[in-house]
Amino acid sequence: LTVVGEAVPAAKPGFVRTAEPFIASAAPVNTLPVTAEEAKNVTNKFRTVVNTGVSQPEGVELPVGGELTADLLGGVTAYYSDGSSADKMVNWNLDTVDTGTPGAYTVSGSIKQTDYAFPLITNRADPNILFDNGKYYFIATDEVGQSRIFIREADTILGLKTAQDHQIVYTGGDMTACLWAPELHVINGELYVFFAASPTNWQGVSCRVKKLKTGGDPTNRYDWEDAVKVVQKDGSPLYSGGITLDMTCFEQDGQYYAIWAQRPMNPTGTSDLFIATLDADEPWKLTSDPVRICAPDYAWDRNTTEVVEGPYALKKNGKLYVTFSGSGVDNTYCVGLLTADQTADLLDPAAWEQTGYPILTAASVQGEYGPGHNSYAMDHAANVVNVYHSHSHSRYQHAHCRRLHSARA
């Protein structure tokens, strides 16, 4: 893109003459002529996407005295500045229509979507939300001490904000510190919590799995079985040369996979992401050898600490998207992206493409710093919600939510 004041030669029709720089801390060095279409694509890719309008539903005819329902009116399509669109559910104001009186009526409505004021829940990092059996469950790292894991239950995501905490993981035995990054996952109809813990300090952290007894209440500590350490396919420790943490899992074509962060305890070691298949009946057991699929190779994911961690998978349109976090847990913490085809060999590192820039940073949302360690949930209006932590120059991280829009590819 050209810098302000640097004009592209007029002899090249269709080219953009100037473009305002909008990347924080960027210093203009040279100019690159681009076509108007190229400039539009770059702008759409990196600018904030905004709503530009909604479709108008078709009219509905009813007999006098007929019943008017929201289902008859249906939803709308919302359009966005990058050319993308999304179908939305609508809360229609049906009380303005008197179906007993003939005539033409205009019905107004509002799109069904929840706005979440920051923060959703204070002093909670690495947040995760699961919808299961008609309820939403929230679980996260307790920033105050990191020695307890609580779960919350509510009818809506917003209801989790004021829901009661129920402690389900306590310190004891070989779990005396660093109860980190719990995630809830349903595997073959059974509920599990994946988390990390240490017998001493952060240098002894390793991945664990805890199973809810069949038919149990997730908020009742006594309905959870004892935690089990994750092991290799031969039963040996997951990793003996350092620490493991932030394990997540997902299913693809009937096969369950785990992705986690692994870091050797040596001065030059980095925290990398590994993948392996899981035993669905005993998901603390790998069924394949671990394979590294991501390392902190860019300046943004090794800014203050050479770390990639906190993976979480999202499927859409034949793609498998795995977001992860990079750099130190400070203002430079940010979210990166790995992408693979769902039909690919997911144990082949070549199947994964890493986006070369972060997709969520401290510059993304004013007043929120160090956003990261995110996961995803679906709200009642079928909106995908990004669940993550960030802070506002406070001592602790806070859990928050924002709706996720799928931009145009």
Side-chain angles (χ1 to χ4, degrees), residues 50-56 76-81 84-86 88 111:
V50 296
N51 174 245
T52 57
V54 295
S55 64
Q56 295 297 317
V76 298
T77 300
Y79 301 105
Y80 297 88
S81 57
S84 62
S85 63
K88 298 290 184 178
I111 289 177

Side-chain angles (χ1 to χ4, degrees), residues 322-355:
V322 173
T323 47
F324 62 92
S325 297
S327 192
V329 186
D330 51 30
N331 287 0
T332 69
Y333 206 51
C334 54
V335 177
L337 179 66
L338 289 171
T339 305
D341 291 327
Q342 292 183 24
T343 57
D345 177 4
L346 301 179
L347 299 182
D348 179 2
W352 296 92
E353 179 181 357
Q354 182 177 353
T355 300

Side-chain angles (χ1 to χ4, degrees), residues 92-168:
W92 294 108
N93 301 318
L94 303 180
D95 54 359
T96 61
V97 178
D98 179 7
T99 61
T101 302
Y105 296 85
T106 298
V107 181
S108 63
S110 58
I111 289 177
K112 287 185 178 181
Q113 57 186 26
T114 302
D115 292 321
Y116 303 94
F118 178 80
L120 180 70
I121 300 175
T122 59
N123 302 335
R124 298 293 164 85
D126 318 324
N128 175 242
I129 293 176
L130 174 74
F131 184 73
D132 187 46
N133 289 326
K135 296 286 186 179
Y136 283 96
Y137 294 94
F138 172 88
I139 199 165
T141 300
D142 178 23
E143 283 281 80
V144 184
Q146 301 181 351
S147 60
R148 304 170 296 178
I149 293 179
F150 298 97
I151 192 170
R152 295 188 182 190
E153 177 188 82
D155 293 326
T156 64
I157 291 178
L158 195 59
L160 293 167
K161 182 179 182 71
T162 56
Q164 180 181 353
D165 275 326
H166 303 270
Q167 188 172 351
I168 60 170

Side-chain angles (χ1 to χ4, degrees), residues 253-305:
D253 296 329
Q255 175 65 62
Y256 283 89
Y257 296 82
I259 304 179
W260 68 96
Q262 184 168 299
R263 178 179 180 178
M265 284 294 100
N266 64 61
T268 60
T270 62
S271 174
D272 305 334
L273 296 183
F274 286 77
I275 189 172
T277 53
L278 276 182
D279 183 335
D281 295 321
E282 296 178 311
W284 52 90
K285 294 182 179 179
L286 304 187
T287 56
S288 69
D289 293 326
V291 176
R292 186 173 65 176
I293 58 172
C294 184
D297 293 329
Y298 294 92
W300 56 267
D301 56 16
R302 55 196 298 130
N303 196 333
T304 59
T305 309

